[in-house]
Amino acid sequence: MTWWRDAAIYQVYLRSFADGDGDGTGDIAGLESRLGYLRELGVDALWINPWYVSPMADGGYDVADYRAIDPAFGTLADAERLIEAAHRFGLRIIVDIVPNHASDQHPWFQQALRDGPGSPARERFHFRDETNNWQSRFGGPAWSRVEDGQWYLHLFDAAQPDLNWEHPDVRAEFPSVLRFWLDRGVDGFRIDVAARLVKQAGLPDKRGRIEGVPTFTDADDAPDKDRPEVHEIYRDWRLVLGEYGPDRVFVGEIWVRDPERFALYLRPDELHTAFNFEFLKCAWEAGAFREVIDRTLATHAKVGAPPTWVLSNHDVTRHVTRYGRKRSAFLKREHGVPTDLALGTRRARAAALLTMALPGGVYVYQGDELGLPEVFDLPDELREDPVFRRTGGLDLGRDGCRVPLPWGGDAPPFEFGKGGAWLPQPPEWRELTAARQLGDPDSMLSLYRLALRIRRGEPALGDGGMRWLDSEPGVIDFERDPGFRCVVNLTGHEIDVPPGEPLIASAALEGMRLPPDAAVWLRTSD
Ligand code: GLC
């Protein structure tokens, strides 16, 4: 069996993970110094957000050179050393590849600006004399004007011009970039915005769009999403990956709701896995979870791909916060949304056990294992996410889930590094530092470490099947062979723990009763 079918993959948002040189920004040296922590946590691989040369207009998702490391993070030699060191620690490395757009500082775009309208250099992007009605996914128009009067398309920030995937140079460039990193030993790639590379010919207007309103909910059939031709690209890439043996992997960032269309990306000659955003978006309701889980399993079974289970990432409100809210306010990023963090934390503990018990792979976003909540009260002038600016502050943006990790000590920057931290950490995170949690068997970190260890050793867990067991509404109850059962209580009352030997529970089991918002794993006899 291949490792990625049931891997526990830890997402490293490098800028905020650990700072090795004291400049307030996380870097490769910081990550290297914490590899022991990650090994002890018990994950199998790291997915590292973009580390390439970038003006950081979108936290590194604006790449100016796909074959070099940004000086803020280190050097290419540091990256090579990191990959080797990680491998020595038993950790595989997945890097982020950003093919939908480049930075406006990328040499191709700079040349396009210089060479002017009608030049071959402009054809690598989407330059037009007139715009259509598309809006940027970060808010505001998806078109910006250059000095000579032409417009260029950017689905994200103006500093992220979309590449033209009809152009042979663009098609040829990325397999070469993949090879560059494969030659340096990376074990796989996370593909950014994987469903949007190809645009419908002629860039027709979108239907039913409201000008000026930021929206993140394009229909699946939008002219810049999920075009059938995009699959050719991944078939092509899969051949490249295949040259490096069966152990390298693609994971796609695919926000396509229709399960049938989503599954097409996971056919055996395309991507290996994709993030399960339907699960991430699911509110804390047993019925809704069961439905998403069923749909996920059915969708993936059709193409033989393993499901993944994702609770948080660097783009969404942290789940400790989400689960502490009413369903209607679930993903909101604004001030003053009523949130019960104690409740959210209890549920986050239960959710961790749920995701690690389900068939397939599991993702841990840095800080999940510390139970970090979303941070809302950041000073506006320190916010860096273009979403904040481009929506005029209507959406606070994603900085609040990207606050540097608290490692130890009693005051910010909590041993993040010797200098400060590029975003301020709340003083109350003194209770949530890794060092403090390591010493507490009841902490979120201890729960994650134990659960990941059990998951690794338990033959029933990881890849494979599962069976639902009859349960009262509000309870999630399933078993896996051999001899494993997971029960999550989403009712408002205690329930009986079924027969079996408890392996781990997200809350204390008083007299074999499972409290509300808690989960337990059991070893059963058959
Ligand atoms: C993806 C990334 C996000 C980035 C966007 C544009 O959604 O996860 O962080 O802003 O793509 O590259």
Side-chain angles (χ1 to χ4, degrees):
M1 200 186 71
T2 26
W3 68 275
W4 47 269
R5 291 195 65 90
D6 60 4
I9 301 180
Y10 186 93
Q11 180 189 349
V12 177
Y13 193 71
L14 199 54
R15 296 208 283 171
S16 303
F17 185 73
D19 175 16
D21 64 6
D23 67 354
T25 293
D27 48 34
I28 294 175
L31 171 55
E32 195 175 344
S33 73
R34 299 285 182 181
L35 287 175
Y37 168 87
L38 295 167
R39 180 183 54 197
E40 295 310 309
L41 179 60
V43 292
D44 304 300
L46 311 179
W47 149 34
I48 304 174
N49 287 104
W51 54 4
Y52 316 108
V53 171
S54 165
M56 301 286 159
D58 180 23
Y61 283 95
D62 47 321
V63 180
D65 183 348
Y66 290 88
R67 296 178 184 80
I69 298 290
D70 195 90
F73 297 140
T75 63
L76 188 57
D78 293 337
E80 289 171 342
R81 211 186 45 238
L82 187 268
I83 295 165
E84 270 180 42
H87 287 164
R88 276 200 306 280
F89 277 79
L91 298 164
R92 309 209 190 224
I93 296 287
I94 294 175
V95 294
D96 215 314
I97 192 93
V98 189
N100 179 70
H101 43 265
S103 160
D104 61 357
Q105 300 306 308
H106 189 284
W108 280 1
F109 194 76
Q110 288 297 311
Q111 192 192 346
L113 291 183
R114 276 196 311 273
D115 290 5
S119 64
R122 289 224 166 165
E123 286 168 19
R124 295 188 183 123
F125 299 89
H126 297 281
F127 276 91
R128 294 285 185 281
D129 294 324
E130 281 167 24
T131 65
N132 62 16
N133 71 350
W134 298 3
Q135 299 293 303
S136 155
R137 308 195 47 73
F138 289 168
W143 296 91
S144 289
R145 198 163 208 176
V146 300
E147 270 179 19
D148 52 56
Q150 276 208 312
W151 302 83
Y152 66 91
L153 175 70
H154 52 86
L155 295 186
F156 295 88
D157 191 61
Q160 295 166 293
D162 277 53
L163 288 160
N164 173 12
W165 273 87
E166 303 303 326
H167 198 291
D169 290 356
V170 175
R171 292 263 170 169
E173 172 67 353
F174 281 87
S176 151
V177 170
L178 297 179
R179 283 202 171 85
F180 181 88
W181 291 103
L182 288 164
D183 288 339
R184 276 157 188 80
V186 304
D187 301 283
F189 300 90
R190 177 262 187 194
I191 305 169
D192 190 57
V193 195
R196 289 188 184 261
L197 273 45
V198 178
K199 279 75 178 172
Q200 190 174 335
L203 309 184
D205 274 350
K206 291 188 182 180
R207 284 180 281 116
R209 305 284 300 179
I210 308 164
E211 297 294 327
V213 173
T215 172
F216 297 84
T217 52
D218 268 335
D220 278 352
D221 65 353
D224 60 346
K225 188 172 176 186
D226 195 29
R227 308 299 308 162
E229 302 81 12
V230 79
H231 296 287
E232 285 162 26
I233 297 171
Y234 300 129
R235 284 195 200 106
D236 185 26
W237 289 16
R238 182 66 179 251
L239 293 175
V240 174
L241 211 67
E243 292 168 22
Y244 290 80
D247 270 352
R248 321 270 182 137
V249 58
F250 284 128
V251 48
E253 188 206 20
I254 300 166
W255 293 87
V256 169
R257 275 178 302 265
D258 180 331
E260 305 287 327
R261 300 184 64 145
F262 177 88
L264 295 179
Y265 290 83
L266 301 179
R267 287 175 289 189
D269 59 348
E270 295 196 35
L271 310 182
H272 301 73
T273 62
F275 300 109
N276 188 348
F277 294 126
E278 294 306 308
F279 183 81
L280 179 152
K281 288 188 293 182
C282 187
W284 189 256
E285 285 174 16
F289 271 132
R290 272 197 298 258
E291 239 179 83
V292 173
I293 293 167
D294 271 337
R295 208 165 44 234
T296 301
L297 296 177
T299 305
H300 288 74
K302 274 190 205 144
V303 284
T308 67
W309 308 98
V310 185
L311 291 169
S312 282
N313 66 28
H314 65 296
D315 291 329
V316 298
T317 308
R318 280 191 179 272
H319 63 275
V320 160
T321 299
R322 294 201 318 267
Y323 290 149
R325 290 171 163 186
K326 283 210 181 88
R327 182 184 185 146
S328 53
F330 199 52
L331 281 160
K332 282 200 177 139
R333 291 186 294 228
E334 54 195 55
H335 290 293
V337 178
T339 307
D340 179 344
L341 285 183
L343 176 66
T345 302
R346 273 202 308 282
R347 291 177 170 175
R349 292 174 64 90
L353 293 193
L354 171 61
T355 54
M356 290 185 213
L358 288 168
V362 68
Y363 281 84
V364 180
Y365 173 46
Q366 69 179 41
D368 286 358
E369 81 280 20
L370 303 177
L372 300 185
E374 186 81 5
V375 180
F376 290 102
D377 57 352
L378 295 168
D380 285 352
E381 65 280 9
L382 293 184
R383 293 185 189 276
E384 289 201 8
D385 184 1
V387 169
F388 175 68
R389 190 173 26 87
R390 293 186 62 93
T391 62
L394 279 180
D395 183 333
L396 289 175
R398 299 163 296 176
D399 294 306
C401 64
R402 300 171 174 180
V403 173
L405 289 191
W407 288 97
D410 288 318
F414 297 119
E415 298 172 14
F416 170 65
K418 292 201 170 40
W422 69 277
L423 284 173
Q425 303 140 309
E428 31 325 339
W429 281 15
R430 87 175 70 81
E431 308 295 336
L432 297 176
T433 64
R436 182 168 292 216
Q437 295 201 36
L438 273 181
D440 173 5
D442 294 328
S443 68
M444 186 73 87
L445 181 55
S446 298
L447 179 85
Y448 266 78
R449 284 166 51 120
L450 181 57
L452 286 165
R453 204 175 72 217
I454 298 173
R455 183 177 182 275
R456 198 174 258 178
E458 201 57 36
L461 295 185
D463 204 16
M466 61 169 267
R467 276 184 310 279
W468 293 117
L469 293 164
D470 280 344
S471 58
E472 69 171 288
V475 176
I476 292 177
D477 191 353
F478 59 93
E479 59 182 2
R480 304 192 62 186
D481 293 331
F484 175 89
R485 183 165 179 176
C486 173
V487 184
V488 192
N489 180 4
L490 294 91
T491 71
H493 53 263
E494 283 187 357
I495 58 171
D496 282 333
V497 176
E501 174 206 339
L503 298 170
I504 185 171
S506 69
L509 306 176
E510 306 280 349
M512 290 307 268
R513 304 274 289 164
L514 183 65
D517 301 308
V520 62
W521 289 358
L522 299 160
R523 161 126 352 99
T524 54
S525 43
D526 28 291

